[in-house]
Every structure is written in structure tokens, then in C-alpha cells.
Amino acid sequence: MKKATLFLFITLTFSQLTCTKDAFTGFIHPEMRPFIEDFIEEGKKRGVEFDIEDIESFLVNEFSVQEGFSETACGLGWYDYENTGRRRIEVLNIDRCWGNRSRIEKENFMFHELGHAFLERDHIGSTLPNEYPKSIMCSTDQGLDCSNFTIYHDTEPMRTYYLDELFNENTPLPEYTNKNEYIRTVFKGEAQEYSTNWELFIVGDPDNLSNFQFSQDTSSSGTPTLTLSTDGSSLSPPASAVIVNRFDVTDIASCSNLKAFSNIRAEGMTDGEFQVGLSLRERTTVDSLNRFSLGLKKETANGFYENYLHELYCLSSEKTDVVSISFTLESTTAASITVDNLLINLYE
Ligand SMILES: [Zn+2]
């Protein structure tokens, strides 16, 4: 008799477990709930209604499926989980993906997953005129340098645009992509104060087999010419070198734009590329190079790029205080880029 009871007990437990795995639970992790509620609220403002009881949302130690996503994925969102019609989100419960993220980063990230789960949207690769992602549904699988948890920051017009686009793909480009009233110059390549700020980082080539070199020619009067070059290497994937200059921008009107202009000459690239980056970070994270990696503009052709423009949209007046300008060279053959007449202006 005892045996029979035990057997029954085990059978029940097992079937309950099976049941939990296969059926919709409606479970929502308490830390995720506020973001789902905010998403529903933002949708409502835009005429789209969802019910929080139609979704389940988990923090997991590993994803419940093993294929169909990139190695670095932090979250997955389904509108038809395992062909059961269930809307479901799973987020990896590790610091990089959840614990260390700020509130706004968690929001960006959850709204992207909810874009899959509630709005049934796929990834898109479209960009704004400055080549930043056009949508919070951007993804590295679309060839974008897309880190969807930094796609918008604390600037309200930027957040509003990305949420409008999330709920309506036909949202027109935001007004801030077209600001042309010159306010002032915030960085001048020839200014002594910036010439010592350049830092060189070599990526993917710790022993510098590619022999990346950086030099500043200040011999002639006027703007120093920056040169970044490599002897080439057989490294695969190719290594790259980045020069970065960081400077403060203070006392700006909210949602101003920065425009960086420079003359760039690219030579010797056969399979590589150069990139111009313009990014911002809060002073509290100034030592982290990972936080704001958006904003790269890439070119693969050799030649002279006169007055090459790269633009940073909609700065926050309160929290944006360090801007980085960077030039990157990636090449497996001997190649160089030279940069001249660098100038960064503020527009409102
Ligand atoms: Zn996605």
C-alpha cells in the first residue's frame, strides 16, 4: 500500500511538472512586471491594447530552446512559443544581461523583446540618416552595430520617437534628425587641449602582430594630421585599431545635435574598412568603453572623403557630459587612414 501511494505521488509530481512546462502559466517575474506594464501603457497611448495576462516572462539560467539566436543574446521573445500560440519572454539572469543594467537599459531591452512577443515584429536593419538604427527592433543579425539597450537614453524626444516607431513602423523620421541652426564649435582638431587626448586601442590583436601605428603630424601650422596605419596581418577575423578622443560638452540645450566634419583619406584597404564613431556616455561610466558603442559610420572604399560628416542626435542637457570621437581602421593588408581638419559643432 505504501508503495502504491509513493508511486501515485511520484506520478502526480511528474505530471504536474510536465504540465508546468507545456501549458501557459501566466507567470511574470516581479522584476519584469513594471516594464511590461509600462509597455502596455505606452501602447495604449498609441491606440494599441494588450493584456498582461496574455504573456509569460521569465528570468532563466539558460534559454529553454537551444537554436536560432546569437551566442551573445540576452533575451528571447516569442509570439508563438514552440507553436503553442503562447507569448513568452526569457531573459538570461546574469549581470551582463540583467543585473548590471540600469532602469532605462532594462526598458530598451524589454521593449525590444515585447516587440517580438506582443507586436509580432521581426528585426529590421533600416537606419536613420546618421546610420543609427531606425528602430528598437534593430539587431546585429541585420548587420547593424545595434545594442538595443542603448538605442535611446534619457532624452525624451528620442525615447518618444523609438516608442512611436515600435508601435507603428510607418512613423516619420523624428524632427531631431534635421537640426541645422549652428550654435558653437565644441572641438577643433588644431586646438592644443585636444591633441594630447588621443588614445590608441588595438582590438583582437593583443600582441599587435598587425603593427598598428598612430601618429600626429604637428610640424606644419594648422590642424595636425592624424594617421592610423597597419603593416597588415593574417589575423582572422581581422584586427582593428581605434583612436579615441574624449571631451566634455556642457551647457547645451536639450536634444541638440553634434556634427563632426573631417577630411579622411583611406589607402591600401582591400577587404577592410574604416569607421568614424561618435558617442556619448555619462560621467559615471566614463571608464567603460562598452556602454555606448552605437554610432559607427563605416566605409570600405579607398579614396578621399572630403568634409565627411558624422552626426550624433539629441543629446541630453543634463546627463550627457562626455563625448567620444573615434576613428577605426580594420584591415588584413597594409593600409592607412589620415584624418585632417577635424571639427565638431553643436546645432539646435
Ligand atoms: Zn530581437
Side-chain angles (χ1 to χ4, degrees):
M1 200 62 197
K2 250 187 181 170
K3 250 184 192 169
T5 315
L6 188 66
F7 177 74
L8 193 66
F9 176 74
I10 290 168
T11 314
L12 270 177
T13 312
F14 184 72
S15 62
Q16 273 164 356
L17 279 175
T18 315
C19 202
T20 311
K21 190 166 180 282
D22 289 347
F24 180 76
T25 61
F27 176 81
I28 292 176
H29 193 283
E31 286 181 38
M32 297 166 131
R33 180 173 288 275
F35 301 103
I36 301 176
E37 287 172 350
D38 285 354
F39 177 91
I40 290 172
E41 192 58 37
E42 294 295 341
K44 208 175 192 178
K45 285 185 205 162
R46 293 163 174 87
V48 193
E49 304 245 359
F50 300 102
D51 192 334
I52 199 163
E53 305 205 331
D54 292 339
I55 196 163
E56 51 189 5
S57 188
F58 299 87
L59 281 177
V60 296
N61 294 325
E62 61 179 36
F63 293 128
S64 65
V65 297
Q66 304 305 327
E67 283 170 11
F69 51 88
S70 85
E71 273 174 27
T72 54
C74 274
L76 297 174
W78 295 268
Y79 61 86
D80 184 16
Y81 177 70
E82 301 276 88
N83 301 316
T84 58
R86 287 149 60 189
R87 301 184 195 278
R88 178 183 176 105
I89 289 176
E90 293 181 10
V91 169
L92 282 185
N93 193 9
I94 56 176
D95 285 349
R96 174 176 71 83
C97 293
W98 189 256
N100 284 349
R101 289 186 172 181
S102 68
R103 198 206 64 81
I104 198 100
E105 287 167 344
K106 283 177 181 158
E107 178 183 286
N108 299 161
F109 171 56
M110 282 293 288
F111 282 16
H112 173 103
E113 300 308 336
L114 289 160
H116 291 308
F118 265 139
L119 294 161
E120 307 186 9
R121 285 193 62 174
D122 288 329
H123 292 148
I124 64 167
S126 314
T127 54
L128 297 175
N130 71 344
E131 298 189 17
Y132 283 24
K134 185 175 167 287
S135 171
I136 197 172
M137 298 312 295
C138 62
S139 169
T140 42
D141 68 20
Q142 298 290 314
L144 287 178
D145 280 301
C146 170
S147 172
N148 53 42
F149 65 88
T150 58
I151 192 162
Y152 61 80
H153 37 92
D154 297 72
T155 316
E156 195 58 36
M158 200 178 241
R159 180 177 183 273
T160 300
Y161 162 72
Y162 279 105
L163 297 197
D164 288 348
E165 197 282 339
L166 179 62
F167 292 100
N168 174 11
E169 285 184 57
N170 298 317
T171 297
L173 288 188
E175 180 254 348
Y176 63 69
T177 58
N178 189 24
K179 293 200 164 180
N180 290 311
E181 191 193 337
Y182 170 81
I183 300 300
R184 67 178 197 268
T185 294
V186 296
F187 184 104
K188 244 179 155 175
E190 79 220 43
Q192 207 58 40
E193 62 182 301
Y194 300 123
S195 62
T196 54
N197 280 1
W198 290 104
E199 287 182 85
L200 174 68
F201 298 93
I202 295 167
V203 182
D205 184 9
D207 302 321
N208 195 16
L209 300 173
S210 307
N211 193 21
F212 283 107
Q213 303 279 343
F214 168 59
S215 65
Q216 267 192 94
D217 179 4
T218 50
S219 56
S220 59
S221 60
T223 316
T225 305
L226 313 173
T227 303
L228 190 54
S229 64
T230 173
D231 286 354
S233 83
S234 54
L235 289 179
S236 178
S240 60
V242 193
I243 50 169
V244 181
N245 201 318
R246 296 178 199 167
F247 57 98
D248 292 353
V249 179
T250 51
D251 189 25
I252 55 170
S254 185
C255 205
S256 303
N257 289 1
L258 285 180
K259 298 187 191 204
F261 303 93
S262 53
N263 293 337
I264 302 173
R265 185 178 298 282
E267 292 174 303
M269 294 190 304
T270 52
D271 59 348
E273 61 184 28
F274 76 82
Q275 303 168 358
V276 181
L278 200 51
S279 63
L280 55 88
R281 63 195 75 219
E282 294 174 22
R283 185 165 292 286
T284 48
T285 59
V286 71
D287 291 329
S288 161
L289 276 172
N290 300 321
R291 265 316 192 217
F292 292 92
S293 55
L294 279 180
L296 293 175
K297 221 180 148 179
K298 298 180 182 182
E299 303 293 344
T300 55
N302 291 305
F304 183 58
Y305 296 78
E306 190 171 13
N307 233 13
Y308 191 77
L309 169 65
H310 188 22
E311 201 165 357
L312 186 63
Y313 293 147
C314 203
L315 277 69
S316 149
S317 58
E318 287 132 37
K319 296 202 173 170
T320 304
D321 43 23
V322 181
V323 172
S324 308
I325 176 85
S326 66
F327 297 92
T328 304
L329 174 64
E330 176 188 292
S331 178
T332 55
T333 55
S336 69
I337 52 167
T338 55
V339 181
D340 220 341
N341 292 343
L342 174 59
L343 185 71
I344 305 177
N345 295 334
L346 189 65
Y347 293 79
E348 287 175 20

